[in-house]
Amino acid sequence: MNNNKYCSLLLLAGATAACSVLVSTVVQSPASHSSEDLLRPAPLQTVGYFDYFGKLLNPSQAAELVRSRGLDPGNAQSYLRIGAVEITQALIDQGKDIFTDRKIGDDFGLQKVFGFRAGFLLILPEVRAAIEQLDGQPTTNLRVVLQKDLILGSRIFTKGSTVDTGLDIEKGGKFPVGLSIDGNLTCAVCHIAVNKQSGKALQGLPNGDLNIPLLIALSPNTAAGFARLNIDPLDPAYRGSGKTIIDSKGRRVELPDPQKIERAFDDAVLDVPFGHFESSPDGINNTTQIPNLFTFRSGPYTADGSFAAGPFGGLSSVTNGVHSSEVNLLAASQISEATLGIDREVYLGTVLQNANDPQVRLPEGKPVKPSEWLRKVAPDPEAAELEDQVPAPGTGSYPNLSPSLFTFNGLVFSPNTDRRNDSASGPFLFAANAMAAFQNSLLPPANRSESNRRALATGAVRRGARVFEQASCTGCHPAPFFTDNRIHPVGTIGTDPARARSRLGLEPLLVPPLLFTFDTPVPVPPGAEILAVPTAGIAPTPTSLPTGIVPDGGYKSPALRGLYLSAPYLHDGGAAVRAGALQFFADGSFAVVDSSGLGLAGTLSQGQGAEAGGSLRALLDRDLRARVVAANQGSPALVRSNLTGAGHAFYVDPAAGFTYAQQRDLVDFLLSLDDDPGRY
C-alpha cells in the first residue's frame, strides 16, 4: 500500500473517532445515582439510527458526519462508504435468518478434515428415535439411548446407556435447534434455548447444558483442533505411527501417532463440562461457558474483551470470528510458529494426516510438505478453507496473512454478493453487521417466576438494589446495562488467568485494522475503497490489543441482565450450585445440605444444570465460594481445564459487614434484571 495513503487512513481514523464522539450523545451510560435508577428499563437499539463503529447516531448526526466527508447525505451509498450502518428492521430480520439458519464454517475444514457430519451421523439413529418418542413435545435436553457401543478417547459409552445431549427440540420440532440433517450447525445450537413450558425458542439465551464435548469427540479427526487445547503434537508421548513430513525449514519431522493424539484430544475435550466451549487456537486449556447474547451496549465482547474494534463496537468482529478465525482450522497455521511455537507444516500435517476424507489425508510413501499437498488436493483455497472468506485489506496475502484487532486470522466472512439462496450474501461485511444488529435487538425475557413476583411485591428487589450500591457493585456494573464496558487486568479480578491470556501472543503480530467500504461488492474488485477502523479509546495504538489486556491479560466487566437464565457464573462458570444443595432459612442464611451439588463438579460436569439463586450465593458468599472452589479443585478434569470458580473476591456477606438478609435481597435484585427490572 502507498505509505501516504496508509498514513492518511490512520489520520482519518483518529479524526472520525473524535468526530463521532462529538456527534453522538448516547455513547456512555452515566453511573446510577439512586436505587430507582437501577430498576429502570435499559434503552433499546433504535431502528432508523446508524451504527458508526460502536457509536449510535441519529439520522441527523449521521447525515452531518457524511456531509463532513464531502459526501451527499441524500445518497444511501455515502453512509456505507464511511462505515455507517443503518439499523433497519429488514437488516435485523436478515441477521436473524443468518444467525438461525446459515451454516457455520467452511465445509472443507469442518467436514472433509474434521468430520463433524460424520461424527454426528454416528448418533443420528438415536437422535431420530428420541425425537419420535417425544411425540411432538419439547425438551431442553434430548436424551438418547445408544444402539451401539461408542468409544471416544479412553471412554466407552455402552450400548443401551442413556446419554444427555443437551440438544433442544421445539414443540412439534422434527430436529434439534441449530442442527441440520446434513450435519451443518448454526449459531442457534448454542444461543437459542427452548422454554420448557411453551416449547418455543428463546433467542439469545445460552444453551447452558449443551453437551459440546460429546458432539466434538464424535468426529473422527478431532485432533485437527489440537491448538484449541494444550496439546503439543511433538510431545514424545504421541510418537508411534505418525507420517514423516517436510517442515518449512526443509527438515524431516515425524508427526504424532494419529490414534494417540486423537485419544488425548478426546480425553481432554471430554473433561470439559456441558455448556462450555473452546474456539481460540491459543494452545491453552481455557474453555468458557456459552454467553447470553443480550449484547446492546455490552461490549467489548467475549470474556477477555478482545473483540472491541469495528462496527457495532466489536460485535461484528465477533460474528465474523465465529464464521472464520474461531472455526477455520487450516488458516490458523499461518501464525502457528509465532503464537504456538509450532512450525506451520507440522501444524498442517497434524491437521491433515487423519482427515475424515481419505483423499485429503497425507499420502503414504515419500514425505511431502503438507502445504504443498493441501494445494494439490484442493488447488483453489477459495473453494476450500477460504470458503466465503476474503483477506482484509492491509493483512497481506494468504497463506501469510497478519492478524488485526478486527480479524485474528486476517480473514473476513463475507460471501459473494448476489448469490442466490444464501441469506448471508451481500456487499462486504453485510452478514456480520446484520447478525450484530439482530443480536443488539435481543432483550432478556421477562422473569415471570413466582419468586420474582414475590420479591418485587415485598420490596426485596428494591432493598437489594440499595445493597448493590452500598457494596459498590456499581463501580464496575453501572445501570442501565450493568457494565462499565472496560477490561480489567486479571490481577485485579483474581480469576483464573488462562482465558485472560488467550490473545497475548497476537500482540507483536498485529497490523492496523482496515476494512473495505461497506458498499464494496464481493469478490472484491481491484482498487476498492478502504476504511481505517477507529481504535481511539479502545487500544493504545492501532497495533495493540485492547487496553486492559496487556501485559498479563484481563477480563471485561460482563453485563448482568438476564442472570436468572444464565447460571452458573464467572467466565469459567465455576460459581455453580445445583438446585437442592442449599437449605435457606427465614433470616436469609443458608446451609449446605448436599455437598455433592457444589461447583461444576456437581452440576455441568454431570450434565446437570446450575440453579441461579444458589449459584449467585456462591458468587457473593466467601464461605460458600470456598467450598465450591474446593469441589472444583477436587476434580482433576476441571483442574486440567482451568475451571475452578476462584477469584472475583468481591463478597457481600457477614465478613464484609452485610447481613444474610441483605445478601438474599441482593440475589433477588440480581435475578430481577430482565427487560424491565422494576416490574413483574
Side-chain angles (χ1 to χ4, degrees):
M1 180 186 295
N2 179 280
N3 286 335
N4 290 333
K5 181 178 179 182
Y6 175 69
C7 291
S8 65
L9 282 168
L10 294 182
L11 290 171
L12 185 59
T16 54
C19 179
S20 63
V21 171
L22 291 174
V23 298
S24 177
T25 60
V26 288
V27 175
Q28 296 291 336
S29 301
S32 298
H33 297 291
S34 74
S35 57
E36 289 302 315
D37 291 335
L38 299 174
L39 297 174
R40 293 195 177 103
L44 306 178
Q45 174 179 256
T46 307
V47 172
Y49 276 44
F50 290 77
D51 172 82
Y52 180 73
F53 295 104
K55 308 298 189 292
L56 192 64
L57 309 180
N58 65 37
S60 61
Q61 292 169 334
E64 182 58 33
L65 185 59
V66 166
R67 193 176 292 110
S68 72
R69 303 293 184 79
L71 299 175
D72 177 13
N75 185 340
Q77 295 296 107
S78 298
Y79 298 85
L80 299 174
R81 287 181 62 190
I82 68 167
V85 180
E86 185 177 8
I87 301 164
T88 66
Q89 190 58 51
L91 183 70
I92 292 170
D93 293 343
Q94 289 169 304
K96 177 183 176 181
D97 289 343
I98 301 168
F99 182 90
T100 56
D101 299 326
R102 217 277 185 180
K103 67 165 186 156
I104 291 174
D106 60 282
D107 278 347
F108 186 85
L110 191 60
Q111 309 299 357
K112 288 192 173 185
V113 176
F114 192 80
F116 183 84
R117 179 185 299 117
F120 185 68
L121 287 175
L122 291 176
I123 61 168
L124 181 58
E126 289 90 337
V127 167
R128 282 175 160 163
I131 294 174
E132 185 175 348
Q133 288 186 351
L134 289 175
D135 194 27
Q137 293 303 303
T139 183
T140 60
N141 174 26
L142 187 69
R143 310 190 78 202
V144 302
V145 178
L146 295 181
Q147 300 176 13
K148 53 192 169 296
D149 288 349
L150 283 178
I151 301 176
L152 303 176
S154 302
R155 308 185 194 191
I156 300 176
F157 298 80
T158 58
K159 177 181 177 180
S161 62
T162 300
V163 175
D164 295 314
T165 68
L167 293 169
D168 285 18
I169 310 292
E170 292 185 80
K171 186 173 184 178
K174 303 298 183 184
F175 214 67
V177 173
L179 288 177
S180 60
I181 195 70
D182 61 2
N184 283 313
L185 66 161
T186 76
C187 298
V189 72
C190 289
H191 298 291
I192 286 182
V194 167
N195 182 286
K196 294 180 180 179
Q197 285 71 43
S198 69
K200 295 181 179 180
L202 300 176
Q203 296 162 346
L205 291 182
N207 187 354
D209 61 353
L210 181 63
N211 195 345
I212 297 175
L214 173 71
L215 296 176
I216 295 297
L218 284 168
S219 302
N221 186 29
T222 56
F226 76 91
R228 270 71 181 168
L229 298 174
N230 184 18
I231 292 182
D232 179 0
L234 298 185
D235 188 323
Y238 305 140
R239 287 179 181 168
S241 59
K243 290 185 171 66
T244 298
I245 56 102
I246 306 297
D247 74 4
S248 62
K249 297 176 179 63
R251 301 169 299 194
R252 292 190 174 214
V253 178
E254 182 183 335
L255 295 175
D257 183 298
Q259 301 308 316
K260 289 182 178 179
I261 193 171
E262 185 77 12
R263 186 181 306 113
F265 186 91
D266 286 348
D267 285 344
V269 81
L270 289 170
D271 280 348
V272 175
F274 289 31
H276 284 62
F277 73 102
E278 169 58 275
S279 60
S280 51
D282 53 20
I284 306 173
N285 291 347
N286 55 9
T287 59
T288 59
Q289 62 173 335
I290 300 170
N292 71 48
L293 295 184
F294 310 125
T295 53
F296 185 53
R297 303 270 193 85
S298 298
Y301 297 98
T302 68
D304 64 352
S306 55
F307 291 88
F312 294 91
L315 188 55
S316 294
S317 178
V318 178
T319 58
N320 174 69
V322 168
H323 289 264
S324 182
S325 65
E326 306 303 283
V327 74
N328 192 317
L329 297 171
L330 296 161
S333 67
Q334 299 178 105
I335 56 175
S336 63
E337 178 80 55
T339 59
L340 303 173
I342 298 173
D343 183 272
R344 71 166 62 189
E345 299 294 342
V346 173
Y347 181 102
L348 283 173
T350 303
V351 169
L352 293 173
Q353 73 165 339
N354 192 39
N356 176 55
D357 185 342
Q359 295 184 351
V360 177
R361 294 174 192 163
L362 297 180
E364 302 292 340
K366 184 179 178 181
V368 298
K369 267 193 172 183
S371 61
E372 295 176 356
W373 173 255
L374 175 60
R375 291 286 72 90
K376 183 175 181 179
V377 297
D380 181 6
E382 292 184 8
E385 72 268 28
L386 300 192
E387 177 190 355
D388 295 332
Q389 300 158 81
V390 297
T395 58
S397 58
Y398 186 78
N400 296 295
L401 299 172
S402 296
S404 76
L405 276 181
F406 182 81
T407 166
F408 294 137
N409 67 357
L411 294 167
V412 175
F413 171 65
S414 199
N416 285 354
T417 306
D418 298 327
R419 180 188 292 169
R420 292 184 178 181
N421 302 318
D422 186 349
S423 58
S425 173
F428 181 79
L429 206 63
F430 160 76
N433 287 338
M435 284 187 283
F438 164 66
Q439 291 175 54
N440 272 351
S441 73
L442 298 176
L443 299 175
N447 184 348
R448 299 296 189 191
S449 66
E450 174 58 25
S451 59
N452 190 48
R453 185 200 65 76
R454 186 168 55 251
L456 283 164
T458 61
V461 168
R462 280 174 167 74
R463 292 194 302 272
R466 290 194 290 272
V467 175
F468 190 78
E469 287 193 307
Q470 292 165 9
S472 299
C473 301
T474 52
C476 292
H477 300 283
F481 298 98
F482 298 95
T483 176
D484 61 4
N485 306 106
R486 293 177 57 201
I487 301 168
H488 297 270
V490 67
T492 301
I493 304 302
T495 48
D496 188 279
R499 168 53 59 175
R501 297 171 178 165
S502 177
R503 308 292 180 183
L504 288 178
L506 298 175
E507 170 86 2
L509 308 177
L510 294 173
V511 297
L514 306 176
L515 296 170
F516 296 110
T517 59
F518 301 160
D519 62 339
T520 302
V522 183
V524 177
E529 278 190 285
I530 294 173
L531 294 168
V533 176
T535 58
I538 296 172
T541 73
T543 56
S544 304
L545 288 169
T547 300
I549 294 180
V550 176
D552 300 316
Y555 290 111
K556 62 162 280 187
S557 300
L560 303 183
R561 298 194 305 157
L563 283 180
Y564 84 101
L565 290 169
S566 56
Y569 305 110
L570 298 179
H571 79 275
D572 62 3
V577 174
R578 191 172 67 222
L582 305 180
Q583 180 180 355
F584 297 98
F585 303 107
D587 65 352
S589 63
F590 60 89
V592 176
V593 294
D594 181 5
S595 60
S596 71
L598 299 182
L600 286 167
T603 54
L604 291 172
S605 286
Q606 308 299 323
Q608 299 188 46
E611 189 266 327
S615 298
L616 284 173
R617 289 285 187 133
L619 187 70
L620 299 170
D621 190 276
R622 73 193 69 206
D623 293 335
L624 179 57
R625 178 83 76 81
R627 297 188 64 173
V628 165
V629 170
N632 291 331
Q633 292 178 334
S635 165
L638 293 174
V639 172
R640 284 192 296 270
S641 300
N642 293 306
L643 303 174
T644 65
H648 193 272
F650 308 113
Y651 299 114
V652 181
D653 59 8
F658 295 91
T659 67
Y660 282 117
Q662 288 176 306
Q663 186 184 81
R664 177 184 58 197
D665 289 343
L666 176 55
V667 168
D668 285 339
F669 165 70
L670 293 171
L671 294 177
S672 77
L673 296 180
D674 54 18
D675 61 328
D676 190 353
R679 299 189 180 193
Y680 181 67

